[in-house]
Amino acid sequence: MDQFDRLEVKENAERWAREARELIVAQMKETFSITTKAHQHDLVTDVDKNVEKFFLDKISHTYSDHRLMGEEGSFEEIKNLDGVVWILDPIDGTINFVQQKSNFAISIGIFQDGVPIIGLVYDVMRDEMFLSLKGEGATLNGIKIEPIPKVSLNESLLSFNAGWMLKDRKLEWLLEESRGIRSYGVASLEMAYVACGRLEAYISFNLAPWDMAGGYALLQEVGGIVTNYNGDPLTFLEKDTMIAANPWVYKEITEVLNRK
Ligand code: IPD
Ligand code: CA
Ligand code: CA
Ligand code: CA
């Protein structure tokens, strides 16, 4: 396995995300086009595409042997995770970006031969930078995030879309047995919130690799558990379901979901 300068790559990822913030904030003041993709819940704007193009230019210029799997087009050539792959969501939470001008993130997971090495989730408007490096832990705005502590389900805040209750009515039991349910509409940030203890679990039935990769890398560094809804590992090559959680709460959640 070729080594790469992980610290330098992490610093560049952080610098480029902060530069991308400037680009986003400037473009928010202009009019930008909004297009519907597959359906009314699936939007893309020029800003999403411009941020992806910004990273594509930076990465290909600086690291010619690294590959980019980005939501807005550059995923198409990526059929495996060999070598170094940047898995990028240029704007995670595009609906929030369009309708709220807030509550969206840039998400990056940098994998080497399928192993998450660097995680970055950047809440652009709050200027909150979640970063991780394999074996070195995770930080929020430069301050170390402590390993996830023991918490029980009845004192936990969980996050999932209300619509998922139609997929599995057992999720109603989690509503009853936890302290409460939240939904932010920005998967990467919801995973980052699990990493720093603002939430104990995040559940989804429909995520792409770029929604999951940055938050997954962060959670690896603080002792979080991430699987699909069946308890299997994620592949980061296709869409999947997800439970990302505090390990103690993960156990309680799966006990509830396996109940007859
Ligand atoms: C979406 C957000 C949302 C999740 C969707 C994603 P996008 O990403 O992460 O929270 O529920 O499944 O597609 O399209 O805004 O990048
Ligand atoms: Ca999208
Ligand atoms: Ca996304
Ligand atoms: Ca996106």
Side-chain angles (χ1 to χ4, degrees):
M1 191 193 288
D2 283 347
Q3 282 307 316
F4 68 103
D5 188 338
R6 296 173 172 194
L7 205 54
E8 185 207 90
V9 172
K10 182 183 143 198
E11 284 169 4
N12 276 332
E14 179 180 1
R15 174 162 351 99
W16 296 340
R18 292 187 188 282
E19 288 173 18
R21 175 187 202 269
E22 300 304 313
L23 198 138
I24 293 169
V25 170
Q27 293 186 6
M28 277 167 75
K29 294 183 187 142
E30 317 273 314
T31 46
F32 51 82
S33 83
I34 304 166
T35 317
T36 304
K37 295 211 290 192
H39 44 73
Q40 92 224 35
H41 309 294
D42 191 7
L43 303 180
V44 63
T45 74
D46 285 348
V47 186
D48 301 60
K49 293 175 189 165
N50 292 342
V51 171
E52 183 153 325
K53 170 85 170 50
F54 172 84
F55 276 98
L56 184 60
D57 289 348
K58 291 285 187 196
I59 295 163
S60 57
H61 184 253
T62 317
Y63 303 111
S64 57
D65 55 333
H66 292 192
R67 297 186 296 155
L68 173 65
M69 183 204 288
E71 179 179 12
E72 307 308 342
S74 48
F75 64 92
E76 277 166 8
E77 295 91 66
I78 308 291
K79 308 285 182 225
N80 60 54
L81 294 179
D82 294 350
V84 179
V85 182
W86 295 53
I87 306 179
L88 167 74
D89 196 334
I91 295 189
D92 187 30
T94 297
I95 293 176
N96 293 349
F97 171 67
V98 168
Q99 312 232 171
Q100 304 181 322
K101 303 278 187 290
S102 183
N103 301 318
F104 60 90
I106 297 169
S107 175
I108 304 171
I110 304 175
F111 283 46
Q112 184 175 30
D113 295 322
V115 178
I117 308 295
I118 293 160
L120 180 154
V121 178
Y122 186 34
D123 181 330
V124 171
M125 301 315 285
R126 289 191 186 82
D127 192 18
E128 286 195 322
M129 177 69 76
F130 296 86
L131 265 175
S132 68
L133 181 60
K134 185 172 168 50
E136 302 286 323
T139 54
L140 166 52
N141 285 350
I143 296 166
K144 186 176 167 41
I145 301 174
E146 295 303 326
I148 290 177
K150 185 170 184 184
V151 175
S152 62
L153 181 59
N154 62 13
E155 53 187 357
S156 290
L157 265 186
L158 315 181
S159 171
F160 54 82
N161 295 344
W164 298 145
M165 290 199 198
L166 303 175
K167 294 249 186 204
D168 187 353
R169 301 308 294 253
K170 291 179 182 173
L171 288 172
E172 287 178 21
W173 297 341
L174 295 181
L175 175 63
E176 287 161 16
E177 294 178 39
S178 67
R179 189 168 273 163
I181 309 294
R182 300 288 182 269
S183 182
Y184 298 88
V186 44
S188 61
L189 207 51
E190 291 167 283
M191 295 177 78
Y193 283 4
V194 174
C196 73
R198 292 179 189 173
L199 291 170
E200 274 64 46
Y202 169 66
I203 298 173
S204 175
F205 280 81
N206 183 28
L207 293 177
W210 40 84
D211 301 314
M212 310 187 272
Y216 180 78
L218 286 176
L219 280 161
Q220 297 306 300
E221 290 304 310
V222 292
I225 295 197
V226 186
T227 67
N228 70 15
Y229 204 69
N230 300 324
D232 299 321
L234 306 170
T235 67
F236 296 97
L237 288 169
E238 53 195 23
K239 288 198 164 192
D240 212 336
T241 53
M242 174 190 277
I243 304 178
N246 171 307
W248 290 273
V249 176
Y250 182 96
K251 188 166 175 289
E252 284 194 73
I253 286 174
T254 49
E255 281 164 9
V256 170
L257 296 177
N258 287 328
R259 231 181 255 158
K260 296 285 171 224

